[in-house]
Amino acid sequence: MKKKSSLKDIAAYLGVSTTLVSYVINNKEKEAGVSKEMARKIRQAAKQLNYQPNLIAKSLKSGRTNTIGLVVADISNPFFSAIARIIEDEAGKYGYAAIFGSNDESAEKSATLINVLQSRQVDAFIIAAAEKSEEQIQGLQAANIPVVLIDRYFPSLDIDRVFIDNYQAAYKATQHLIRSGRTRVAMLAYDTGLYHMEERVKGYRDALRDHNLSFRKTWLRWIGYRQAKNEARQTMSDWLKPSVGIDAVLFATNTLAVESLKYIAASGVRVPERLAIIAFDESEAYDFFYSPVSSIRQPIEEMGKAAVRLVIERLGQPDKPTSAVGMDALLVLRESSDCSLMKKND
Amino acid sequence: MKKKSSLKDIAAYLGVSTTLVSYVINNKEKEAGVSKEMARKIRQAAKQLNYQPNLIAKSLKSGRTNTIGLVVADISNPFFSAIARIIEDEAGKYGYAAIFGSNDESAEKSATLINVLQSRQVDAFIIAAAEKSEEQIQGLQAANIPVVLIDRYFPSLDIDRVFIDNYQAAYKATQHLIRSGRTRVAMLAYDTGLYHMEERVKGYRDALRDHNLSFRKTWLRWIGYRQAKNEARQTMSDWLKPSVGIDAVLFATNTLAVESLKYIAASGVRVPERLAIIAFDESEAYDFFYSPVSSIRQPIEEMGKAAVRLVIERLGQPDKPTSAVGMDALLVLRESSDCSLMKKND
DNA sequence: CTGAAAGCGCTTACAG
DNA sequence: CTGAAAGCGCTTACAG
């Protein structure tokens, strides 16, 4: 039962003041003009007594915790856990740790989470924002707490952010499907007002329009986050009816795609011959689906690093102008959208 | 720039002492005998001034942070991110938050991580331990900090833990392969001294022995965590040579399996006809591999919940006897080990 | 070169 | 029913 020792313990042990100990422990001996000999003795005692600084006390004094609050939709979603890992590593380089939380795309949970993290005095936030969480985020800004949005953002908010050009990504993917001969291209999206989702849908619709494909209502389905599983299956089942005859689908996220791919595999519909597919994000499912899935790959590593960089910059310079870091997603073409394998007479 | 308000602000605003405010804010008005009217006024002022407690100050006073340090190998591994999510939710129910870190299966990183988390005064740890981290963990115990090991543990340490019966799981999987006619069953494992890995290998070897299959050295390959990708591919390539003729493989983890499955898919070897497969853990890859992969599924949810429960119990009763919570994994049989599809004349 | 003292935002035993 | 005061473990301006 080795007791933790405090500065006071070291001071008492050596019969000196805590002031001195503090200076040495924090390597401020030069500025404070602590004698070499004293510094040596203190360091030795610290080692001997197994001193570990109490960062809580330090934080109370300094007002900084060197902690970043990370808010994502669901840490068990590979997209977010990959980002979390990058952020963990990158923040660590600057001496910051991450406290994370999942909001399940719910504004209420997000509010609770942000409150908890704020009470814990995190120095800054990196947030993949939930729908309708603008006010919470503005609240943080009003309280002068740095916030960087990642993946999603609100165009109405003047705030640091890292994002991809979702419109372009969806447009290009749709265009690819159309140019290779698909004429009934559908899109499966989440029913959320979030800007990034709207941009993806807009890119899809504009691509249809620009290629003279008249859009039909049934081709675009918005489904709820909480019942995604059932609704994705239902949608696929509807779309694959001969009377509807969808011949290509753009999936707006990996979770939507994965659920649908399960249905597609089970239903026996041939990909890409009968149905071409392109999906956002990444998933091991994409690699292992019998027809490897073309995807819109976000530069996760760059995004995570940029988010941490923006946080650090903002902490150092609270009044600097907002940074909006846009990146391009990569359209990775594989077999699932290879329309040379198209079934002509269908 | 809404300033955060402190207890002192509320006290000053109302012209009362912080003592009173503290009692009310913490709902101790009854015990402290605060007047109804005063309590009402304080609550109102707290709301009005947008009071948010400073948990850091609270922690310094109380010596508790209501924080659990979660150490895993890699938060971006779906097995660990799934556990993290469970732990996050479950700990939240008890008012605890989680600070996480990845140790990349390295004892050095683990030591650094544990130090950082300890400096941050986490109340307890849940750790998926890295090889050779016994001493660090004993150090925590010596400092009287509750630790619960999850997934892996050290038989030499008397410590709370949650684990599955790895021996049984591997034994049964191997037995299944043998009973359905496979005679050259290999196993791919991580080259680590960790007990859970040794148990898995032991289960495999004992199953071979009990079914009178003489084990051959080449059938068991231990590969390094950091070069798993290359070594897994190399191993598969070796095993699939006609001269070696492995007809079944047990994979000791999901990452090992996923890398190997990529190679197998590319190489054109038929599963399960030519090669039967069973793999530990879960992965979307298992569902989408052309021959759905039989797996040894750990009860992740129960494990995560049990770990949090043990932590909470230990915090409440530091001297209670050690809890070792063992669970059974589930052998989920699918096509990849369906040996009725075995290629007889091979 | 070194130390006494104030203060970060809380809690709580104690006095009145 | 309410308040003054000490203290959690640090940091740092100030005095000597």
Side-chain angles (χ1 to χ4, degrees), chain B residues 36-144:
Chain B
K36 281 237 156 97
E37 176 59 9
M38 181 54 81
R40 198 192 54 70
K41 270 165 59 182
I42 289 173
R43 266 188 241 288
Q44 196 197 318
K47 185 159 289 177
Q48 202 167 321
L49 298 182
N50 185 33
Y51 175 69
Q52 276 198 303
N54 180 329
L55 260 41
I56 292 292
K58 209 166 184 159
S59 293
L60 181 59
K61 188 72 180 79
S62 68
R64 308 179 49 218
T65 54
N66 281 303
T67 303
I68 295 173
L70 173 62
V71 177
V72 297
D74 180 1
I75 193 71
S76 71
N77 175 324
F79 175 74
F80 292 117
S81 67
I83 284 188
R85 182 59 208 270
I86 309 286
I87 289 177
E88 175 195 347
D89 287 351
E90 196 66 12
K93 292 181 190 162
Y94 297 94
Y96 281 76
I99 310 189
F100 70 93
S102 309
N103 66 23
D104 286 326
E105 302 283 9
S106 140
E108 291 73 44
K109 281 202 186 185
S110 171
T112 309
L113 199 50
I114 287 178
N115 257 321
V116 169
L117 294 173
Q118 207 180 347
S119 295
R120 288 176 184 281
Q121 312 297 117
V122 300
D123 292 334
F125 283 88
I126 296 178
I127 301 180
E131 191 186 10
K132 295 180 184 153
S133 60
E134 291 98 319
E135 288 189 13
Q136 303 160 27
I137 289 166
Q138 281 180 298
L140 293 175
Q141 287 192 292
N144 244 5

Side-chain angles (χ1 to χ4, degrees), chain A residues 1-2 4 52-57 59-60 65-67 70 73-78 81-82 84-85 88 95-102 104 109 113 115-116 118-121 142-145 258 261-262 283-285 287-290, chain B residues 1-2 4 52-57 59-60 65-67 70 73-78 81-82 84-85 88 95-102 104 109 113 115-116 118-121 142-145 258 261-262 283-285 287-290:
Chain A
M1 205 182 310
K2 210 191 303 177
K4 293 183 267 190
Q52 276 198 302
N54 180 330
L55 261 39
I56 293 293
S59 292
L60 181 59
T65 54
N66 282 305
T67 303
L70 174 62
D74 180 1
I75 193 71
S76 70
N77 174 324
S81 68
R85 182 60 209 269
E88 175 196 345
Y96 281 77
I99 310 188
F100 71 94
S102 309
D104 286 326
K109 281 203 186 182
L113 198 52
N115 256 321
V116 168
Q118 207 180 347
S119 295
R120 289 175 184 280
Q121 313 296 118
N144 245 3
I145 301 173
V258 169
L261 287 172
K262 283 183 187 162
S283 166
E284 277 180 346
D287 299 329
F288 285 97
F289 188 65
Y290 68 81
Chain B
M1 206 181 314
K2 211 190 301 179
K4 294 183 266 190
Q52 276 198 303
N54 180 329
L55 260 41
I56 292 292
S59 293
L60 181 59
T65 54
N66 281 303
T67 303
L70 173 62
D74 180 1
I75 193 71
S76 71
N77 175 324
S81 67
R85 182 59 208 270
E88 175 195 347
Y96 281 76
I99 310 189
F100 70 93
S102 309
D104 286 326
K109 281 202 186 185
L113 199 50
N115 257 321
V116 169
Q118 207 180 347
S119 295
R120 288 176 184 281
Q121 312 297 117
N144 244 5
I145 301 174
V258 168
L261 287 172
K262 282 182 187 162
S283 166
E284 277 180 346
D287 300 329
F288 285 96
F289 189 65
Y290 69 82

Side-chain angles (χ1 to χ4, degrees), chain A residues 111-132:
Chain A
T112 309
L113 198 52
I114 286 178
N115 256 321
V116 168
L117 294 174
Q118 207 180 347
S119 295
R120 289 175 184 280
Q121 313 296 118
V122 299
D123 292 335
F125 283 88
I126 295 178
I127 301 180
E131 192 186 10
K132 293 178 185 154

